[in-house]
Amino acid sequence: MAEAEAALRTLAHNVRAARTRAGLSLDELGRRAKVSKGALVALEKAQGNPNFATLVRLADTLGISVSALLEGPAEGRVRVVAADTVMPLWAGAQGSEARLMLTTSGPAPVEVWRWQLAPGEEYPSHPHQAGVVETVSVTAGRMTLIVDGTEHTVEAGQTATFDGDAPHAYRGAGNETCHLIMTVHLPPGPASTA
């Protein structure tokens, strides 16, 4: 339980710091991210249990990566992350999961995700801020990538890319679990007024 409390304190600190850097009040951040002021107040006090969708909306609005909200200070020039040390940020009812492995630093960070999609299980994603580009590289199995209502089959050995500001979803296809690496390329700077 101590790890969960420490992670929540880190999240609270990072949200408050990013909000302050962006010059946003709690009311304005809540309006732009579509998160209640009460939930933001609780989050910045290291209380509550924000879900994955809330973290994505906050990160998009603040113009930073989800992992920038979750990570403590950097520990050196090289960072090696093992999948079994990273908790899933999303877990589906059929065993699917998404783990945010790391985010690169710099003015236009890139998130690196590991996904497992069980056959038929789907994760719908809300549209991200303009300028976000996603790639999915399937390493085993097959998935259906749905962008703006159009389905695209992506099989092992294939990579797809798309603008993340459209509604999109990922669904396991075929008879075996789909394994994929996703990158989310973030534009520099905080999100503009929406």
Side-chain angles (χ1 to χ4, degrees):
M1 197 61 164
E3 285 182 20
E5 291 172 3
L8 193 54
R9 284 193 304 274
T10 297
L11 175 62
H13 173 269
N14 292 344
V15 168
R16 186 172 39 258
R19 179 178 62 78
T20 301
R21 276 192 310 273
L24 298 174
S25 67
L26 285 166
D27 286 325
E28 185 62 15
L29 177 58
R31 183 186 70 74
R32 291 184 187 187
K34 297 179 177 66
V35 175
S36 74
K37 181 179 178 181
L40 286 174
V41 168
L43 179 59
E44 288 193 5
K45 290 182 178 181
Q47 301 168 347
N49 186 18
N51 65 30
F52 178 54
T54 297
L55 294 178
V56 170
R57 286 194 309 272
L58 287 171
D60 279 352
T61 302
L62 292 167
I64 60 176
S65 66
V66 173
S67 64
L69 293 178
L70 300 172
E71 292 178 344
E75 297 180 12
R77 290 180 66 122
V78 176
R79 189 170 25 148
V80 177
V81 181
D84 61 354
T85 65
V86 178
M87 294 299 298
L89 287 179
W90 172 74
Q94 299 171 22
S96 298
E97 65 180 30
R99 295 174 191 255
L100 177 56
M101 300 304 296
L102 61 85
T103 302
T104 62
S105 59
V110 177
E111 298 175 348
V112 179
W113 292 79
R114 281 181 170 265
W115 284 73
Q116 293 179 30
L117 291 169
E121 190 154 32
E122 183 173 311
Y123 177 80
S125 178
H126 76 283
H128 302 292
Q129 67 177 327
V132 171
V133 175
E134 291 192 22
T135 65
V136 291
S137 296
V138 175
T139 58
R142 182 174 22 153
M143 70 173 290
T144 301
L145 172 64
I146 306 154
V147 179
D148 232 356
T150 302
E151 295 188 0
H152 308 270
T153 300
V154 186
E155 299 189 23
Q158 294 182 324
T159 299
T161 187
F162 61 96
D163 294 333
D165 60 354
H168 54 283
Y170 324 103
R171 181 186 324 129
N175 297 321
E176 62 183 89
T177 298
C178 177
H179 295 266
L180 63 107
I181 303 295
M182 174 199 297
T183 59
V184 180
H185 303 259
L186 304 166
S192 59
T193 303

PDB file of all heavy atoms in Angstrom, residues 9 11-21 43-46:
ATOM      1  N   ARG A   9       1.120  10.462  -4.350  1.00  0.00           N
ATOM      2  CA  ARG A   9       1.781  11.723  -3.970  1.00  0.00           C
ATOM      3  C   ARG A   9       2.584  12.285  -5.146  1.00  0.00           C
ATOM      4  O   ARG A   9       2.573  13.487  -5.401  1.00  0.00           O
ATOM      5  CB  ARG A   9       2.676  11.520  -2.742  1.00  0.00           C
ATOM      6  CG  ARG A   9       1.906  11.418  -1.434  1.00  0.00           C
ATOM      7  CD  ARG A   9       2.815  11.530  -0.221  1.00  0.00           C
ATOM      8  NE  ARG A   9       3.897  10.555  -0.223  1.00  0.00           N
ATOM      9  CZ  ARG A   9       3.812   9.321   0.248  1.00  0.00           C
ATOM     10  NH1 ARG A   9       2.679   8.899   0.778  1.00  0.00           N
ATOM     11  NH2 ARG A   9       4.854   8.510   0.221  1.00  0.00           N
ATOM     12  N   LEU A  11       1.988  11.721  -8.361  1.00  0.00           N
ATOM     13  CA  LEU A  11       0.989  12.204  -9.315  1.00  0.00           C
ATOM     14  C   LEU A  11       0.454  13.567  -8.887  1.00  0.00           C
ATOM     15  O   LEU A  11       0.360  14.488  -9.705  1.00  0.00           O
ATOM     16  CB  LEU A  11      -0.149  11.180  -9.437  1.00  0.00           C
ATOM     17  CG  LEU A  11      -1.339  11.582 -10.304  1.00  0.00           C
ATOM     18  CD1 LEU A  11      -0.918  11.797 -11.751  1.00  0.00           C
ATOM     19  CD2 LEU A  11      -2.433  10.525 -10.220  1.00  0.00           C
ATOM     20  N   ALA A  12       0.116  13.716  -7.613  1.00  0.00           N
ATOM     21  CA  ALA A  12      -0.411  14.987  -7.105  1.00  0.00           C
ATOM     22  C   ALA A  12       0.590  16.115  -7.339  1.00  0.00           C
ATOM     23  O   ALA A  12       0.229  17.195  -7.833  1.00  0.00           O
ATOM     24  CB  ALA A  12      -0.736  14.856  -5.617  1.00  0.00           C
ATOM     25  N   HIS A  13       1.847  15.870  -6.999  1.00  0.00           N
ATOM     26  CA  HIS A  13       2.891  16.877  -7.188  1.00  0.00           C
ATOM     27  C   HIS A  13       3.036  17.246  -8.658  1.00  0.00           C
ATOM     28  O   HIS A  13       3.118  18.422  -9.027  1.00  0.00           O
ATOM     29  CB  HIS A  13       4.220  16.364  -6.627  1.00  0.00           C
ATOM     30  CG  HIS A  13       5.365  17.272  -6.932  1.00  0.00           C
ATOM     31  ND1 HIS A  13       6.149  17.133  -8.059  1.00  0.00           N
ATOM     32  CD2 HIS A  13       5.829  18.363  -6.287  1.00  0.00           C
ATOM     33  CE1 HIS A  13       7.053  18.078  -8.082  1.00  0.00           C
ATOM     34  NE2 HIS A  13       6.893  18.837  -7.017  1.00  0.00           N
ATOM     35  N   ASN A  14       3.083  16.237  -9.532  1.00  0.00           N
ATOM     36  CA  ASN A  14       3.298  16.479 -10.957  1.00  0.00           C
ATOM     37  C   ASN A  14       2.133  17.217 -11.613  1.00  0.00           C
ATOM     38  O   ASN A  14       2.336  18.069 -12.470  1.00  0.00           O
ATOM     39  CB  ASN A  14       3.594  15.174 -11.682  1.00  0.00           C
ATOM     40  CG  ASN A  14       4.932  14.588 -11.280  1.00  0.00           C
ATOM     41  OD1 ASN A  14       5.778  15.261 -10.688  1.00  0.00           O
ATOM     42  ND2 ASN A  14       5.139  13.324 -11.586  1.00  0.00           N
ATOM     43  N   VAL A  15       0.898  16.886 -11.228  1.00  0.00           N
ATOM     44  CA  VAL A  15      -0.272  17.595 -11.779  1.00  0.00           C
ATOM     45  C   VAL A  15      -0.241  19.050 -11.340  1.00  0.00           C
ATOM     46  O   VAL A  15      -0.412  19.968 -12.159  1.00  0.00           O
ATOM     47  CB  VAL A  15      -1.598  16.910 -11.361  1.00  0.00           C
ATOM     48  CG1 VAL A  15      -2.798  17.802 -11.672  1.00  0.00           C
ATOM     49  CG2 VAL A  15      -1.746  15.564 -12.045  1.00  0.00           C
ATOM     50  N   ARG A  16      -0.014  19.278 -10.063  1.00  0.00           N
ATOM     51  CA  ARG A  16       0.024  20.648  -9.541  1.00  0.00           C
ATOM     52  C   ARG A  16       1.140  21.457 -10.225  1.00  0.00           C
ATOM     53  O   ARG A  16       0.932  22.598 -10.653  1.00  0.00           O
ATOM     54  CB  ARG A  16       0.210  20.636  -8.021  1.00  0.00           C
ATOM     55  CG  ARG A  16       0.114  21.981  -7.358  1.00  0.00           C
ATOM     56  CD  ARG A  16       0.100  21.926  -5.823  1.00  0.00           C
ATOM     57  NE  ARG A  16       0.982  20.938  -5.241  1.00  0.00           N
ATOM     58  CZ  ARG A  16       0.606  19.749  -4.750  1.00  0.00           C
ATOM     59  NH1 ARG A  16      -0.675  19.411  -4.756  1.00  0.00           N
ATOM     60  NH2 ARG A  16       1.486  18.916  -4.237  1.00  0.00           N
ATOM     61  N   ALA A  17       2.344  20.854 -10.357  1.00  0.00           N
ATOM     62  CA  ALA A  17       3.464  21.552 -10.986  1.00  0.00           C
ATOM     63  C   ALA A  17       3.174  21.856 -12.458  1.00  0.00           C
ATOM     64  O   ALA A  17       3.449  22.970 -12.933  1.00  0.00           O
ATOM     65  CB  ALA A  17       4.741  20.715 -10.853  1.00  0.00           C
ATOM     66  N   ALA A  18       2.618  20.903 -13.187  1.00  0.00           N
ATOM     67  CA  ALA A  18       2.310  21.120 -14.612  1.00  0.00           C
ATOM     68  C   ALA A  18       1.213  22.167 -14.769  1.00  0.00           C
ATOM     69  O   ALA A  18       1.276  22.999 -15.680  1.00  0.00           O
ATOM     70  CB  ALA A  18       1.896  19.802 -15.265  1.00  0.00           C
ATOM     71  N   ARG A  19       0.227  22.140 -13.897  1.00  0.00           N
ATOM     72  CA  ARG A  19      -0.860  23.131 -13.955  1.00  0.00           C
ATOM     73  C   ARG A  19      -0.297  24.529 -13.686  1.00  0.00           C
ATOM     74  O   ARG A  19      -0.629  25.492 -14.397  1.00  0.00           O
ATOM     75  CB  ARG A  19      -1.948  22.791 -12.936  1.00  0.00           C
ATOM     76  CG  ARG A  19      -3.104  23.773 -12.916  1.00  0.00           C
ATOM     77  CD  ARG A  19      -4.180  23.382 -11.934  1.00  0.00           C
ATOM     78  NE  ARG A  19      -3.747  23.344 -10.556  1.00  0.00           N
ATOM     79  CZ  ARG A  19      -3.578  24.429  -9.789  1.00  0.00           C
ATOM     80  NH1 ARG A  19      -3.791  25.639 -10.282  1.00  0.00           N
ATOM     81  NH2 ARG A  19      -3.195  24.303  -8.533  1.00  0.00           N
ATOM     82  N   THR A  20       0.582  24.638 -12.708  1.00  0.00           N
ATOM     83  CA  THR A  20       1.194  25.926 -12.376  1.00  0.00           C
ATOM     84  C   THR A  20       2.050  26.431 -13.536  1.00  0.00           C
ATOM     85  O   THR A  20       1.968  27.603 -13.918  1.00  0.00           O
ATOM     86  CB  THR A  20       2.037  25.793 -11.088  1.00  0.00           C
ATOM     87  OG1 THR A  20       1.183  25.358 -10.029  1.00  0.00           O
ATOM     88  CG2 THR A  20       2.677  27.115 -10.710  1.00  0.00           C
ATOM     89  N   ARG A  21       2.870  25.535 -14.126  1.00  0.00           N
ATOM     90  CA  ARG A  21       3.708  25.927 -15.277  1.00  0.00           C
ATOM     91  C   ARG A  21       2.851  26.413 -16.444  1.00  0.00           C
ATOM     92  O   ARG A  21       3.241  27.329 -17.166  1.00  0.00           O
ATOM     93  CB  ARG A  21       4.563  24.750 -15.751  1.00  0.00           C
ATOM     94  CG  ARG A  21       5.847  24.566 -14.996  1.00  0.00           C
ATOM     95  CD  ARG A  21       6.775  23.573 -15.695  1.00  0.00           C
ATOM     96  NE  ARG A  21       6.149  22.326 -16.065  1.00  0.00           N
ATOM     97  CZ  ARG A  21       6.042  21.255 -15.276  1.00  0.00           C
ATOM     98  NH1 ARG A  21       6.538  21.277 -14.056  1.00  0.00           N
ATOM     99  NH2 ARG A  21       5.457  20.165 -15.707  1.00  0.00           N
ATOM    100  N   LEU A  43      -7.201  15.201  -6.271  1.00  0.00           N
ATOM    101  CA  LEU A  43      -5.994  14.669  -6.900  1.00  0.00           C
ATOM    102  C   LEU A  43      -4.757  15.425  -6.436  1.00  0.00           C
ATOM    103  O   LEU A  43      -3.738  14.830  -6.093  1.00  0.00           O
ATOM    104  CB  LEU A  43      -6.127  14.735  -8.423  1.00  0.00           C
ATOM    105  CG  LEU A  43      -4.945  14.236  -9.235  1.00  0.00           C
ATOM    106  CD1 LEU A  43      -4.653  12.775  -8.915  1.00  0.00           C
ATOM    107  CD2 LEU A  43      -5.229  14.390 -10.716  1.00  0.00           C
ATOM    108  N   GLU A  44      -4.829  16.753  -6.399  1.00  0.00           N
ATOM    109  CA  GLU A  44      -3.677  17.549  -5.979  1.00  0.00           C
ATOM    110  C   GLU A  44      -3.394  17.423  -4.485  1.00  0.00           C
ATOM    111  O   GLU A  44      -2.331  17.815  -4.020  1.00  0.00           O
ATOM    112  CB  GLU A  44      -3.855  19.014  -6.389  1.00  0.00           C
ATOM    113  CG  GLU A  44      -3.707  19.218  -7.882  1.00  0.00           C
ATOM    114  CD  GLU A  44      -3.563  20.672  -8.295  1.00  0.00           C
ATOM    115  OE1 GLU A  44      -3.486  21.565  -7.417  1.00  0.00           O
ATOM    116  OE2 GLU A  44      -3.521  20.928  -9.513  1.00  0.00           O
ATOM    117  N   LYS A  45      -4.332  16.863  -3.731  1.00  0.00           N
ATOM    118  CA  LYS A  45      -4.110  16.569  -2.316  1.00  0.00           C
ATOM    119  C   LYS A  45      -3.710  15.108  -2.113  1.00  0.00           C
ATOM    120  O   LYS A  45      -3.686  14.620  -0.993  1.00  0.00           O
ATOM    121  CB  LYS A  45      -5.375  16.865  -1.501  1.00  0.00           C
ATOM    122  CG  LYS A  45      -5.692  18.331  -1.377  1.00  0.00           C
ATOM    123  CD  LYS A  45      -6.927  18.525  -0.521  1.00  0.00           C
ATOM    124  CE  LYS A  45      -7.232  19.989  -0.340  1.00  0.00           C
ATOM    125  NZ  LYS A  45      -8.424  20.187   0.503  1.00  0.00           N
ATOM    126  N   ALA A  46      -3.436  14.403  -3.216  1.00  0.00           N
ATOM    127  CA  ALA A  46      -3.046  12.986  -3.186  1.00  0.00           C
ATOM    128  C   ALA A  46      -4.154  12.125  -2.593  1.00  0.00           C
ATOM    129  O   ALA A  46      -3.904  11.188  -1.834  1.00  0.00           O
ATOM    130  CB  ALA A  46      -1.727  12.782  -2.441  1.00  0.00           C
TER     131      ALA A  46
END
